[in-house]
Amino acid sequence: MTDAFLDLHKLPRVAKKEFDIIEPQVPKDASDLLFEASMKPDDIKYIILSHLHFDHTGDVSQYPEAQVLLGPASISAAAPEYPTVDESPFDGAIFAHARNDFPFDKGIDFFGDGTLYILDAPGHMQGHQIALARTGTQEWAAMGGDCCHHRDFLEGFSRDIGVSVGPGSQAGFHKDPEDAKATISKTQILHSNPEVLVVLAHDANIDGCIPLYPEKLNGWPERNLKNLTRKGVLTLEEVKARYN
């Protein structure tokens, strides 16, 4: 599951309009990290995207042998895409590499051996999905994508999810708030399991605490990674230093 290969210059014009607000920084993208592990672009056979928002997709054309796998209804929800429609925030270049939608409603055992499950996690947008990977005999890592945007929601609903103002002038951060709440509730159950480490894409409190590829996540319980969080978010200087 990837939040992937972000080339800021290739993004749709509408997405770039938000740069003054979100100030994206990409010192290294996924391809840089793979290169550091001596992996070549042709080595990548599958790219599983959590959803089609620009900060979770990127330039999949760097991986010509990869099959890009999306959640159900992702393509239909994003069409018509950029540049066919200039006002669309969804990059149509991804569709050229997306060779099929995942044909599932609830989940799939991806390799058929119980090591990786792709789970339907609706709410944030159509086709949103999360991944549950076995990292050891009694340990799992759940890659939560944008099922929620702050780790406080993993502990319970101390506040409601935003439904008024969201990115791109949309109403809130989730396309379907009720489905999003149901997905968050299920993710809370995962989080409450001591054998599961839930990692959210936008959880700034784990920046610098969770190892980056090519470092391994295996053995995270012994390293107490589930309870190792920051008191504050990383500064821009810390972000740059982390990738140098």
Side-chain angles (χ1 to χ4, degrees):
M1 184 70 64
T2 178
D3 291 332
F5 327 101
L6 193 55
D7 187 333
L8 300 179
H9 300 290
K10 295 183 178 180
L11 292 175
R13 183 183 61 82
V14 172
K16 294 178 183 178
K17 289 170 61 177
E18 298 183 14
F19 285 3
D20 289 341
I21 301 173
I22 60 177
E23 298 182 2
Q25 299 289 328
V26 190
K28 292 183 182 179
D29 69 5
S31 60
D32 296 319
L33 297 175
L34 291 170
F35 179 78
E36 291 176 3
S38 300
M39 293 193 69
K40 301 175 182 178
D42 288 354
D43 294 333
I44 306 302
K45 304 306 179 186
Y46 299 102
I47 296 172
I48 305 172
L49 298 179
S50 61
H51 60 296
L52 286 174
H53 287 156
F54 80 85
D55 53 329
H56 298 263
T57 55
D59 187 8
V60 298
S61 65
Q62 296 183 55
Y63 303 87
E65 300 300 318
Q67 186 174 12
V68 180
L69 301 174
L70 309 173
S74 293
I75 293 179
S76 59
E81 70 282 0
Y82 176 87
T84 302
V85 174
D86 187 60
E87 292 299 316
S88 173
F90 298 106
D91 185 3
I94 298 167
F95 296 175
H97 298 270
R99 300 172 190 173
N100 68 289
D101 275 8
F102 265 163
F104 67 90
D105 293 321
K106 300 299 181 183
I108 187 172
D109 182 350
F110 187 69
F111 293 113
D113 60 2
T115 58
L116 178 65
Y117 294 92
I118 310 301
L119 306 175
D120 192 30
H124 182 61
M125 75 164 288
Q126 293 93 324
H128 185 271
Q129 54 195 8
I130 68 175
L132 185 63
R134 183 184 293 276
T135 57
T137 303
Q138 290 184 302
E139 60 179 70
W140 298 81
M143 291 156 273
D146 276 2
C147 66
C148 58
H149 294 77
H150 197 285
R151 68 180 298 103
D152 282 356
F153 286 111
L154 297 179
E155 306 292 343
F157 287 101
S158 58
R159 55 179 177 172
D160 203 355
I161 62 174
V163 295
S164 56
V165 179
S169 300
Q170 72 177 24
F173 280 81
H174 300 283
K175 191 71 173 180
D176 189 320
E178 293 307 313
D179 277 353
K181 289 179 182 179
T183 291
I184 293 171
S185 294
K186 295 174 184 177
T187 309
Q188 289 169 351
I189 295 173
L190 285 177
H191 178 65
S192 67
N193 188 327
E195 296 181 0
V196 180
L197 173 66
V198 176
V199 179
L200 305 173
H202 295 282
D203 186 357
N205 293 97
I206 61 173
D207 280 338
C209 300
I210 300 298
L212 289 174
Y213 187 84
E215 295 182 55
K216 297 184 182 298
L217 194 58
N218 309 75
W220 62 261
E222 290 77 14
R223 290 184 277 169
N224 196 34
L225 294 185
K226 188 163 184 170
N227 299 312
L228 188 62
T229 59
R230 296 173 53 86
K231 298 298 182 182
V233 299
L234 288 173
T235 65
L236 180 57
E237 289 71 25
E238 287 176 308
V239 171
K240 292 179 178 179
R242 185 182 179 198
Y243 288 93
N244 289 332

